[in-house]
Coordinates of all heavy atoms in Angstrom, one line a residue:
N1 N 0.9 -1.2 0.0 CA 0.0 0.0 0.0 C 0.9 1.2 0.0 O 2.1 1.1 -0.2 CB -1.0 0.0 1.2 CG -0.3 0.3 2.5 OD1 1.0 0.3 2.6 ND2 -1.1 0.5 3.5
E2 N 0.3 2.4 0.2 CA 1.1 3.7 0.1 C 2.2 3.8 1.1 O 3.2 4.4 0.9 CB 0.1 4.9 0.3 CG -0.9 4.9 -0.8 CD -1.9 6.0 -0.5 OE1 -1.8 6.6 0.5 OE2 -2.8 6.3 -1.4
S3 N 2.0 3.1 2.3 CA 3.0 3.2 3.3 C 4.0 2.0 3.4 O 4.9 2.0 4.3 CB 2.3 3.4 4.7 OG 1.5 2.3 5.0
G4 N 3.8 1.0 2.6 CA 4.7 -0.1 2.6 C 3.9 -1.4 2.4 O 3.1 -1.5 1.5
W5 N 4.2 -2.4 3.2 CA 3.5 -3.7 3.1 C 2.7 -4.0 4.3 O 3.1 -3.9 5.4 CB 4.6 -4.8 2.9 CG 5.4 -4.7 1.7 CD1 6.6 -4.1 1.5 CD2 5.0 -5.3 0.4 NE1 7.0 -4.2 0.2 CE2 6.1 -4.9 -0.5 CE3 4.0 -6.1 -0.1 CZ2 6.0 -5.3 -1.9 CZ3 3.9 -6.5 -1.4 CH2 4.9 -6.1 -2.3
L6 N 1.5 -4.5 4.0 CA 0.5 -4.9 5.0 C 0.4 -6.4 5.0 O 0.1 -7.0 3.9 CB -0.9 -4.3 4.8 CG -1.0 -2.8 4.9 CD1 -2.4 -2.3 4.7 CD2 -0.5 -2.3 6.3
T7 N 0.5 -7.1 6.1 CA 0.3 -8.5 6.2 C -1.1 -8.9 6.2 O -1.9 -8.5 7.1 CB 1.0 -9.1 7.5 OG1 2.4 -8.7 7.5 CG2 0.8 -10.6 7.6
A8 N -1.5 -9.7 5.2 CA -2.9 -10.1 5.1 C -3.2 -11.4 5.8 O -4.3 -11.5 6.4 CB -3.3 -10.2 3.6
I9 N -2.3 -12.4 5.6 CA -2.4 -13.6 6.4 C -1.1 -13.9 6.9 O 0.0 -13.6 6.3 CB -3.0 -14.8 5.5 CG1 -2.1 -15.1 4.3 CG2 -4.4 -14.5 5.1 CD1 -2.5 -16.4 3.6
E10 N -1.0 -14.6 8.1 CA 0.2 -14.8 8.8 C 0.3 -16.3 9.3 O -0.6 -16.7 10.1 CB 0.4 -13.8 9.9 CG 1.7 -13.9 10.6 CD 1.9 -12.8 11.7 OE1 0.9 -12.0 11.9 OE2 2.9 -12.7 12.3
N11 N 1.3 -17.0 8.9 CA 1.6 -18.3 9.4 C 0.4 -19.3 9.4 O 0.1 -20.0 10.3 CB 2.2 -18.2 10.9 CG 3.5 -17.5 11.0 OD1 4.3 -17.5 10.0 ND2 3.7 -16.8 12.1
V12 N -0.2 -19.3 8.2 CA -1.4 -20.2 8.0 C -0.9 -21.6 7.6 O -0.1 -21.7 6.6 CB -2.3 -19.6 7.0 CG1 -3.4 -20.6 6.6 CG2 -3.0 -18.3 7.5
S13 N -1.3 -22.6 8.3 CA -0.9 -24.0 7.9 C -2.2 -24.9 7.9 O -3.0 -24.8 8.8 CB 0.1 -24.5 8.9 OG 1.3 -23.8 8.9
F14 N -2.3 -25.8 7.0 CA -3.3 -26.8 6.9 C -3.0 -27.8 5.8 O -2.2 -27.5 4.9 CB -4.7 -26.1 6.7 CG -4.9 -25.4 5.4 CD1 -5.3 -26.1 4.3 CD2 -4.6 -24.1 5.3 CE1 -5.5 -25.4 3.0 CE2 -4.7 -23.4 4.1 CZ -5.2 -24.1 3.0
D15 N -3.7 -28.9 5.9 CA -3.6 -30.0 4.9 C -4.9 -30.3 4.3 O -6.0 -30.1 5.0 CB -3.0 -31.3 5.5 CG -1.5 -31.1 5.9 OD1 -0.8 -30.3 5.3 OD2 -1.1 -31.9 6.9
V16 N -5.0 -30.8 3.1 CA -6.2 -31.3 2.5 C -5.9 -32.7 2.0 O -5.0 -32.8 1.1 CB -6.7 -30.4 1.4 CG1 -8.0 -30.9 0.8 CG2 -6.9 -28.9 1.8
A17 N -6.6 -33.7 2.5 CA -6.3 -35.0 2.0 C -7.1 -35.3 0.7 O -7.9 -34.5 0.3 CB -6.8 -36.0 3.1
A18 N -6.7 -36.3 0.0 CA -7.3 -36.7 -1.2 C -8.8 -37.0 -0.9 O -9.1 -37.7 0.1 CB -6.7 -38.0 -1.8
R19 N -9.7 -36.5 -1.7 CA -11.2 -36.7 -1.6 C -11.8 -36.1 -0.3 O -12.9 -36.4 0.0 CB -11.5 -38.2 -1.7 CG -11.1 -38.8 -3.0 CD -11.3 -40.3 -3.0 NE -10.3 -40.9 -2.0 CZ -9.0 -41.2 -2.3 NH1 -8.5 -40.8 -3.5 NH2 -8.2 -41.7 -1.4
E20 N -11.0 -35.2 0.4 CA -11.6 -34.6 1.6 C -12.3 -33.3 1.2 O -11.9 -32.6 0.3 CB -10.4 -34.3 2.6 CG -10.9 -33.7 3.9 CD -9.8 -33.3 4.8 OE1 -8.6 -33.1 4.3 OE2 -10.0 -33.1 6.0
A21 N -13.2 -32.9 2.1 CA -13.9 -31.6 2.0 C -13.5 -30.8 3.2 O -13.8 -31.1 4.3 CB -15.4 -31.7 1.9
L22 N -12.7 -29.7 3.0 CA -12.3 -28.8 4.0 C -13.0 -27.5 3.9 O -13.1 -26.9 2.8 CB -10.8 -28.5 3.9 CG -10.2 -27.5 4.9 CD1 -10.2 -28.0 6.3 CD2 -8.8 -27.0 4.4
G23 N -13.6 -27.0 5.0 CA -14.2 -25.7 5.0 C -13.3 -24.7 5.7 O -12.6 -25.0 6.6
I24 N -13.3 -23.5 5.1 CA -12.6 -22.3 5.7 C -13.6 -21.3 5.9 O -14.3 -20.8 5.0 CB -11.5 -21.8 4.7 CG1 -10.5 -22.9 4.4 CG2 -10.8 -20.6 5.4 CD1 -9.3 -22.4 3.5
V25 N -13.7 -20.8 7.2 CA -14.8 -19.9 7.6 C -14.3 -18.7 8.3 O -13.2 -18.8 9.0 CB -15.9 -20.7 8.4 CG1 -15.3 -21.1 9.8 CG2 -17.1 -19.9 8.6
G26 N -15.0 -17.6 8.2 CA -14.6 -16.4 8.9 C -15.3 -15.2 8.3 O -15.9 -15.3 7.2
E27 N -15.3 -14.1 9.0 CA -15.9 -12.9 8.4 C -15.2 -12.3 7.2 O -14.0 -12.7 7.0 CB -16.0 -11.8 9.5 CG -16.8 -12.1 10.7 CD -16.6 -11.1 11.9 OE1 -15.6 -11.3 12.6 OE2 -17.3 -10.1 12.0
S28 N -15.8 -11.4 6.5 CA -15.1 -10.7 5.5 C -13.9 -10.0 6.0 O -13.9 -9.4 7.1 CB -16.0 -9.7 4.8 OG -17.1 -10.3 4.2
G29 N -12.7 -10.2 5.4 CA -11.5 -9.6 5.8 C -10.7 -10.5 6.7 O -9.6 -10.1 7.2
S30 N -11.1 -11.8 6.9 CA -10.4 -12.7 7.8 C -9.2 -13.3 7.1 O -8.4 -13.9 7.7 CB -11.4 -13.8 8.3 OG -11.9 -14.5 7.3
G31 N -9.2 -13.3 5.7 CA -8.1 -13.9 5.0 C -8.4 -15.1 4.2 O -7.5 -15.8 3.7
K32 N -9.7 -15.5 4.2 CA -10.1 -16.7 3.5 C -9.7 -16.7 2.0 O -9.1 -17.6 1.5 CB -11.6 -17.0 3.7 CG -12.1 -16.8 5.1 CD -13.6 -17.1 5.2 CE -14.5 -16.2 4.3 NZ -14.4 -14.8 4.7
S33 N -10.2 -15.7 1.3 CA -10.0 -15.6 -0.1 C -8.5 -15.4 -0.4 O -8.0 -15.9 -1.5 CB -10.9 -14.5 -0.7 OG -12.2 -14.8 -0.6
V34 N -7.8 -14.6 0.4 CA -6.4 -14.4 0.2 C -5.7 -15.8 0.2 O -4.8 -16.1 -0.6 CB -5.8 -13.5 1.2 CG1 -4.3 -13.4 1.1 CG2 -6.4 -12.1 1.1
T35 N -6.0 -16.6 1.1 CA -5.5 -17.9 1.2 C -5.7 -18.7 0.0 O -4.8 -19.4 -0.6 CB -6.0 -18.7 2.5 OG1 -5.7 -17.9 3.7 CG2 -5.4 -20.1 2.6
A36 N -7.0 -18.7 -0.5 CA -7.4 -19.5 -1.7 C -6.6 -19.0 -2.9 O -6.1 -19.8 -3.7 CB -8.9 -19.4 -1.9
L37 N -6.6 -17.7 -3.1 CA -5.9 -17.1 -4.3 C -4.4 -17.4 -4.2 O -3.7 -17.6 -5.3 CB -6.1 -15.6 -4.3 CG -7.5 -15.2 -4.7 CD1 -7.7 -13.6 -4.5 CD2 -7.9 -15.5 -6.1
S38 N -3.8 -17.5 -3.0 CA -2.4 -17.7 -2.9 C -2.0 -19.2 -3.4 O -0.9 -19.4 -3.9 CB -1.9 -17.5 -1.5 OG -2.2 -16.2 -1.0
I39 N -2.9 -20.1 -3.2 CA -2.7 -21.5 -3.6 C -2.3 -21.5 -5.1 O -1.4 -22.3 -5.5 CB -3.9 -22.4 -3.2 CG1 -4.0 -22.5 -1.7 CG2 -3.7 -23.8 -3.9 CD1 -5.3 -23.2 -1.3
L40 N -3.1 -20.8 -5.9 CA -2.8 -20.7 -7.3 C -2.0 -19.5 -7.8 O -1.9 -19.3 -9.0 CB -4.2 -20.8 -8.1 CG -4.9 -22.1 -8.0 CD1 -6.3 -22.1 -8.6 CD2 -4.1 -23.2 -8.7
R41 N -1.5 -18.8 -6.9 CA -0.7 -17.6 -7.2 C -1.4 -16.7 -8.2 O -0.9 -16.3 -9.2 CB 0.7 -18.0 -7.7 CG 1.6 -18.6 -6.7 CD 2.8 -19.3 -7.2 NE 3.5 -18.6 -8.2 CZ 4.5 -19.1 -8.9 NH1 4.9 -20.4 -8.7 NH2 5.2 -18.4 -9.8
L42 N -2.6 -16.3 -7.8 CA -3.5 -15.5 -8.6 C -3.5 -14.0 -8.2 O -4.3 -13.3 -8.8 CB -4.9 -16.0 -8.6 CG -5.2 -17.4 -9.3 CD1 -6.6 -17.9 -9.1 CD2 -4.9 -17.2 -10.8
H43 N -2.6 -13.6 -7.3 CA -2.6 -12.2 -6.9 C -1.8 -11.4 -8.0 O -1.1 -12.0 -8.8 CB -1.8 -12.1 -5.6 CG -2.5 -12.7 -4.5 ND1 -3.8 -12.4 -4.0 CD2 -2.1 -13.7 -3.6 CE1 -4.1 -13.1 -3.0 NE2 -3.1 -14.0 -2.8
T44 N -2.1 -10.1 -8.0 CA -1.5 -9.3 -9.0 C 0.0 -9.1 -8.7 O 0.4 -8.8 -7.6 CB -2.1 -7.9 -9.0 OG1 -3.5 -8.0 -9.1 CG2 -1.5 -7.0 -10.1

């Protein structure tokens, strides 16, 4: 941002097994979508 770098998610760890359904829950701004986009490196 204008003043430098802002940490959006910090030290997030989890596994997903084959054929498993994992839910990620939280309010808007909790870091859910950032985590998902990071998996596929879809950030700008």
Side-chain angles (χ1 to χ4, degrees):
N1 72 351
E2 297 174 355
S3 60
W5 292 92
L6 293 180
T7 299
I9 60 172
E10 185 174 3
N11 296 328
V12 170
S13 297
F14 62 91
D15 292 333
V16 182
R19 298 171 294 281
E20 180 185 21
L22 173 72
I24 302 181
V25 68
E27 296 168 277
S28 297
S30 62
K32 310 182 301 298
S33 294
V34 173
T35 301
L37 292 171
S38 299
I39 292 172
L40 288 173
R41 286 165 51 187
L42 289 174
H43 297 298
T44 305

